[in-house]
Amino acid sequence: MRVGMGYDVHKLVENRKLILGGVEIPNPLGLLGHSDADVLIHAIMDSLLGAAALGDIGKHFPDTSHKYKGISSLVLLKEVRNLLAEEGYKIVNIDATIIAQKPKMAPHISSMIKKISNTLEIDENRLNIKATTEEGLGFTGNGEGISSQSICLITKK
């Protein structure tokens, strides 16, 4: 059994869609990034890659490559799933947290779980997603950005 931890953060800006967990969330601001800037999926990918000692998303999907410009993070997550399978790993569970002052995430979490678990080809009960605010403190509390953390457990098949 192997444990991995992931973290990601992106700045909120105008003229971008807010995509979290593969779900478009109505919001006047979206996350700035080379891909769709989905901090939740990025944190999950980094936790999975870390658990398998396969580096991080920057190694596999560099932001200097035009190939990944604007790409859906669900596409990248599928590639991570394939890398894990090639190495003989299966996902035991994932626990992730979105850190954002707003918008409210609760109405969207079940859709996020469905999209991510389908992409990873795991049962929904192997994935937990929760959200919290920082009570108005720091860059997330001030509404300047959104971050996410993930921890996972994988095992050899």
Side-chain angles (χ1 to χ4, degrees), residues 9-20 25 27-33 37 39 99-103 105 139-147:
V9 60
H10 285 276
K11 180 180 180 177
L12 283 163
V13 296
E14 293 181 348
N15 301 315
R16 289 278 296 197
K17 292 179 182 179
L18 179 57
I19 309 291
L20 291 169
I25 299 172
N27 198 53
L29 302 175
L31 294 169
L32 180 64
V39 293
I99 302 144
Q101 196 63 36
K102 59 183 180 180
M105 298 296 157
F139 69 91
T140 58
N142 290 331
E144 297 171 45
I146 295 176
S147 66

Side-chain angles (χ1 to χ4, degrees), residues 6 10 18 27 35 39 49 53-54 72-73 75 81 89 91-92 104 115 140 149:
H10 285 276
L18 179 57
N27 198 53
S35 65
V39 293
L49 290 167
L54 294 173
S72 167
S73 292
V75 172
R81 181 203 70 208
Y89 288 108
I91 298 166
V92 176
K104 293 291 183 191
K115 285 192 180 247
T140 58
Q149 299 175 355

Side-chain angles (χ1 to χ4, degrees), residues 84-95:
L84 290 177
E86 288 170 13
E87 295 294 320
Y89 288 108
K90 72 175 189 173
I91 298 166
V92 176
N93 76 302
I94 299 168
D95 186 28

Side-chain angles (χ1 to χ4, degrees), residues 19-25 36 38-48 72-82 84 91 93-98 108-130 148-152:
I19 309 291
L20 291 169
V23 175
E24 185 175 339
I25 299 172
D36 62 6
D38 188 327
V39 293
L40 175 59
I41 291 179
H42 292 185
I44 290 171
M45 288 191 298
D46 265 348
S47 69
L48 293 167
S72 167
S73 292
L74 288 169
V75 172
L76 304 179
L77 183 63
K78 186 175 182 178
E79 289 190 37
V80 169
R81 181 203 70 208
N82 293 340
L84 290 177
I91 298 166
N93 76 302
I94 299 168
D95 186 28
T97 305
I98 302 165
H108 309 286
I109 288 178
S110 63
S111 296
M112 293 176 193
I113 290 171
K114 281 182 184 13
K115 285 192 180 247
I116 293 169
S117 61
N118 285 341
T119 301
L120 291 173
E121 298 179 359
I122 61 172
D123 291 337
E124 288 182 21
N125 66 1
R126 294 183 179 267
L127 172 62
N128 186 60
I129 298 171
K130 52 199 177 297
S148 187
Q149 299 175 355
S150 173
I151 190 165
C152 72

